[in-house]
Amino acid sequence: MAAPGLCDIPLLPGSPRRLSPRAVARGDRGLKHGQQYLKVPGPQAPGPAGRSDGESGLASGGGSSCSGSVINNYLDTIEPVSSEARRSRMHFHDNQRKVDYVLAYHYRKRGVHPGQGSPGQSLAIVSNGETGKEPHPGGHGDIELGPLDALEEEKKEQREEFEHNLMEAGLELEKDLESKSQGSVFVRIHAPWQVLAREAEFLKIKVPTKKEMYEIKSEGSIAKKFNELLQKLSSPLKPRVPEHSNNKMKNLSYPFSREKMYLYNVQDKDTFFDNATRSRIVHEILKRTACSRANNTMGINSLIANNIYEAAYPLHDGEYDSPGDDTNDRKLLYQEWARYGVFYKFQPIDLIRKYFGEKIGLYFAWLGLYTSFLIPSSVIGVIVFLYGCATIEEDIPSKEMCDQQNAFTMCPLCDKSCDYWNLSSACGTAKASHLFDNPATVFFSIFMALWATMFLENWKRLQMRLGYFWDLTGIEEEEVSEHSRPEYETKVREKMLKASGKSVVQKLGTNATENEDEDDEDKLTWKDRFPGYLMNFASILFMIALTFSIVFGVIVYRITIAAALSLNKSTRSNVRVTVTATAVIINLVVILILDEIYGAVAVWLTKIEVPKTEQTFEERLILKAFLLKFVNAYSPIFYVAFFKGRFVGRPGSYVYVFDGYRMEECAPGGCLMELCIQLSIIMLGKQLIQNNIFEIGVPKLKKLFRKLKDETEPGETDSAHSKHPEQWDLDYSLEPYTGLTPEYMEMIIQFGFVTLFVASFPLAPVFALLNNVIEVRLDAKKFVTELRRPDAVRTKDIGIWFDILSGIGKFSVISNAFVIAVTSDFIPRLVYQYAYSHNGTLHGFVNHTLSFFNVSQLKEGTQPENSQFDQEVQFCRFKDYREPPWAPNPYEFSKQYWAILSARLAFVIIFQNLVMFLSVLVDWMIPDIPTDISDQIKKEKGLLVDFFLKEEHEKLKLTDEPAQRSLGGGRRSRSRAPSWAPSGQSQPGSIASSGSQHTNV
């Protein structure tokens, strides 16, 4: 090995200084494998932009020439490379290496020399803080650093060690010079081919093989013709993206292996792995890289939690609104997906998955299927509503209530101030109730229960189809590497320190091997987590009790306001409308406020539990947040549906809240109309306010506040840099990605509104559909334009959300059965028509539901004062099934009451079992795996075996031929292994054996 020249300077691990020339010459004889070099170019311009990584010598070997192992290309302070001259803002300043990941942190200096260089000149430096030139004392641009405070110095040392460990793992770094008194620094990370190949093999990433794409053929000529016709009809709705046009073509994929490089068509190492895969590989390295100075914390997440770094994110593929014809995946997604003008088009799911990863791709696929399934349910719901409108004049009970000749004199609605009243005054409420309380709603409830089952079954099929096309069919749980969370590591460390009785200094000074053994042995047991579990249990009970208390408070508000308004003659006629409207608005505001509070409380409670992995943390957070938000959103609706008007009592024996305030009762037409009002206002209010204010307004306000803060923040500004910002600067100004839990939660709560009480509000699917058409594009725009690019996460399903959906679907059957049986008048009308009616019709039904009460038996002080009723009242009527005053047992429940109660319970049992049976039948009839996909999976295995045997035969043929004839025969071979394939000498960085010539298939 030749002695390194001035252009090659070895980087000592953790050293903040450069070696002297003597140390350099001495160190040349003892360089370790993987020793990193710094390339310090002279005043000449950087190398040509078109040179590949292989030509620039980016291998992490021990090369000695200037074109050897390069860690960083420096920018000369006199001749910086302009943004216009660079090939792309996605690369290092050498125009060759792609930026795969970015780390950002904020620094602060003290004692900066006033004669330092211009802050506008961006110098690229490595993680040890050295510039591209040897500093000369007293020269121009010399920086004299004052003493930093202990915290900043400690953070700097931890960053230096972590970045050094990243380079030891094979990554290549580039960062800016800390030339200002304070500011943000971006560490750009590039993964060379050797690292990508190594990690892709560890992660079992499936990549396309040399075999050409084959077509997924659908069985049956009729199905094939129908699909072709459907494709032609839906062609205007398809997005114009290349990934969407080949949905019937499939690549033959196989997990990447460095020993089987001859299987893959590696034409360009820079583009063989797409940007999402490259960033995923780098993120895996970042998660497992340790930092001993930071208490042996593992991974970038721990360092961010300890404020060592501010952010870590992959770069977007350029700008989405850049002028010109240059296209990238982000710009394509914005044009064909993330704009409201393309709301009628299908989603480019394959491109979404390619850009954001499988987890986000599955979310938008699920949201798209859910939205498309809302179309038939919306149509049926509108038909049911129109049926109610068409038959409103033919409804006999409504006619009887509106007929003034019947003259049903009703008992007073409150004590003293309320007078007797005629039932005909509630004609409008009766007619409005018929819009939603008619026989069609029963069949619509059955339809929606089957709809929920069909939706879940079709989602399982679509999930399986996407998993096949996205090569997720063979993924296993152990393939997903789960690292411990920083909080868990901290708790384990505290437990170890407490158990051993050692101080922090002693603990850090122990042998690293002992620490690793202790980390393997020590973990948090249920005894350690018991206080957290106890706090969770108590807090959740308290939150649920708080929700019920607020619901009770709104009930008290309704009762007191109704009593107060009844005292005034001018407001007495609109008491019910005013109380209902204001109470629902109060409920809506409280629900929105508690939603945000409960979301924060759920995060806090989950942190107290100290889950070990991020997946466990996410699942427990989802369960807590869903439980709290479910109770918060649905408790007012459950009260109106099942409890309001059930505990009123009767005239002469009313149930009172406090003193003088009677429990509220349902309107004359029943509680179903009020349930419909409550459900519609809460559902629409949540959707409109959360979408327009929380999801649109709040991010814009945050962005505006951040912009104003940057403008008013003191410090040096770079006008040239502000005109041409780098991509990492643009992405840093975006909002960080916080996960899909809020997106899923919003849709799950909406799914509950659509299914749980659809018997009372058939138009719920219509409003959900209108909301989701906007929601899809709103979420798309947020992911493409307003959020930093998320890490690509590989997953095969939507996780615990499917179980929640299935549980809501089953619970909706029970809730709808009780809404029809208890809340609506469907069962009383049915019983009257077939058991008590003289002619088999509903004539006389209203009179049948009203009981008599002798007004002389009213309690003293509750009679109406100054009654203005136009006739003397001896008996008043109230809605209940009780014996008349002249019966042997006056005011006791009548036989009709018990008959209707039995019919209601029987209906609940029959309805529940019938719908459950039909749901199981639908589940059995629709297979989870589509037939064509199951056939293609078997076919693909055969194709893979044939391809392996063919390639192995070609490889053995090349290996066994004499050396004189191997070159000529190799030129004639159609599928000869590339020159860089392992053949007698292993590639640098590869763990493949140099003598490995055979591959086991």
Side-chain angles (χ1 to χ4, degrees), residues 266-388:
V266 186
Q267 296 179 352
D268 187 359
K269 297 181 182 179
D270 290 338
T271 58
F272 182 72
F273 296 105
D274 57 27
N275 292 341
T277 305
R278 295 174 69 99
S279 64
R280 177 189 164 204
I281 288 174
V282 175
H283 187 237
E284 287 294 330
I285 299 176
L286 289 172
K287 287 195 298 184
R288 70 166 186 257
T289 302
C291 181
S292 61
R293 291 181 182 269
N295 296 330
N296 286 322
T297 54
M298 182 70 71
I300 185 63
N301 295 332
S302 301
L303 297 178
I304 292 177
N306 295 327
N307 296 320
I308 310 301
Y309 289 97
E310 278 191 291
Y313 53 91
L315 290 182
H316 278 292
D317 290 355
E319 297 185 53
Y320 64 90
D321 56 353
S322 59
D325 297 333
D326 56 322
T327 59
N328 54 64
D329 288 345
R330 188 187 187 192
K331 189 174 183 180
L332 199 59
L333 283 172
Y334 176 75
Q335 293 174 347
E336 296 294 326
W337 179 52
R339 294 188 299 115
Y340 295 111
V342 293
F343 72 92
Y344 61 91
K345 289 188 176 183
F346 296 126
Q347 298 186 88
I349 294 298
D350 292 327
L351 185 58
I352 297 170
R353 171 253 180 180
K354 175 187 173 185
Y355 192 82
F356 293 110
E358 285 80 3
K359 188 172 185 178
I360 296 178
L362 285 176
Y363 164 71
F364 281 104
W366 174 84
L367 182 57
L369 181 69
Y370 171 50
T371 304
S372 62
F373 256 73
L374 285 173
I375 296 176
S377 60
S378 301
V379 173
I380 302 298
V382 171
I383 293 175
V384 170
F385 179 75
L386 293 178
Y387 171 80

Side-chain angles (χ1 to χ4, degrees), residues 592-608:
L592 293 176
I593 295 174
L594 289 183
D595 256 357
E596 301 301 316
I597 296 175
Y598 286 168
V601 169
V603 174
W604 176 69
L605 291 177
T606 310
K607 288 181 179 179
I608 290 178

Side-chain angles (χ1 to χ4, degrees), residues 190-303:
H190 168 77
W193 170 256
Q194 289 79 8
V195 175
L196 293 175
R198 180 191 70 206
E199 298 297 324
E201 184 172 354
F202 292 163
L203 297 175
K204 302 179 182 179
I205 296 177
K206 287 188 176 182
V207 294
T209 59
K210 290 181 182 179
K211 185 173 178 60
E212 297 180 355
M213 299 177 69
Y214 62 94
E215 183 180 1
I216 307 297
K217 298 181 180 179
S218 57
E219 299 293 336
S221 58
I222 299 178
K224 186 176 181 181
K225 291 181 179 179
F226 177 76
N227 287 332
E228 291 177 355
L229 178 62
L230 193 63
Q231 293 291 331
K232 291 180 181 179
L233 294 176
S234 61
S235 57
L237 305 179
K238 294 181 180 179
R240 292 174 295 179
V241 296
E243 281 75 12
H244 195 81
S245 59
N246 294 327
N247 54 357
K248 289 294 182 182
M249 304 299 292
K250 175 74 167 59
N251 272 313
L252 190 62
S253 301
Y254 186 72
F256 187 85
S257 173
R258 289 172 291 178
E259 294 184 350
K260 300 182 178 65
M261 294 296 295
Y262 56 89
L263 298 177
Y264 317 110
N265 188 17
V266 186
Q267 296 179 352
D268 187 359
K269 297 181 182 179
D270 290 338
T271 58
F272 182 72
F273 296 105
D274 57 27
N275 292 341
T277 305
R278 295 174 69 99
S279 64
R280 177 189 164 204
I281 288 174
V282 175
H283 187 237
E284 287 294 330
I285 299 176
L286 289 172
K287 287 195 298 184
R288 70 166 186 257
T289 302
C291 181
S292 61
R293 291 181 182 269
N295 296 330
N296 286 322
T297 54
M298 182 70 71
I300 185 63
N301 295 332
S302 301
L303 297 178

Side-chain angles (χ1 to χ4, degrees), residues 397-408 422-424 427:
S398 299
K399 286 182 179 181
E400 291 183 350
M401 287 184 65
C402 295
D403 190 2
Q404 296 184 1
Q405 296 180 358
N406 288 328
F408 294 111
N422 283 322
L423 185 61
S424 59
C427 176

Side-chain angles (χ1 to χ4, degrees), residues 367 370-371 374-375 377-378 451 683-684 687 691 747 750-751 753-754 761 763-775:
L367 182 57
Y370 171 50
T371 304
L374 285 173
I375 296 176
S377 60
S378 301
W451 172 88
M683 178 181 176
L684 296 178
Q687 292 181 165
N691 286 351
M747 291 295 104
Q750 184 202 85
F751 183 79
F753 281 121
V754 170
F761 189 40
L763 295 180
V766 179
F767 293 109
L769 175 62
L770 296 176
N771 173 80
N772 286 9
V773 170
I774 302 174
E775 180 72 21

Side-chain angles (χ1 to χ4, degrees), residues 855-916:
V855 298
S856 61
Q857 298 178 0
L858 286 172
K859 288 185 178 180
E860 188 68 27
T862 61
Q863 299 92 344
E865 295 179 350
N866 302 322
S867 176
Q868 302 296 325
F869 206 67
D870 55 1
Q871 59 182 357
E872 185 179 354
V873 179
Q874 183 180 2
F875 295 99
C876 66
R877 310 293 295 272
F878 64 98
K879 190 174 182 179
D880 206 348
Y881 293 94
R882 292 182 180 268
E883 297 289 344
W886 53 83
N889 299 315
Y891 308 127
E892 294 291 333
F893 287 117
S894 62
K895 295 181 180 178
Q896 291 89 338
Y897 171 83
W898 299 109
I900 291 174
L901 180 61
S902 303
R904 283 172 168 167
L905 295 177
F907 174 82
V908 169
I909 296 173
I910 295 173
F911 182 89
Q912 177 183 344
N913 286 277
L914 174 64
V915 175
M916 288 293 185

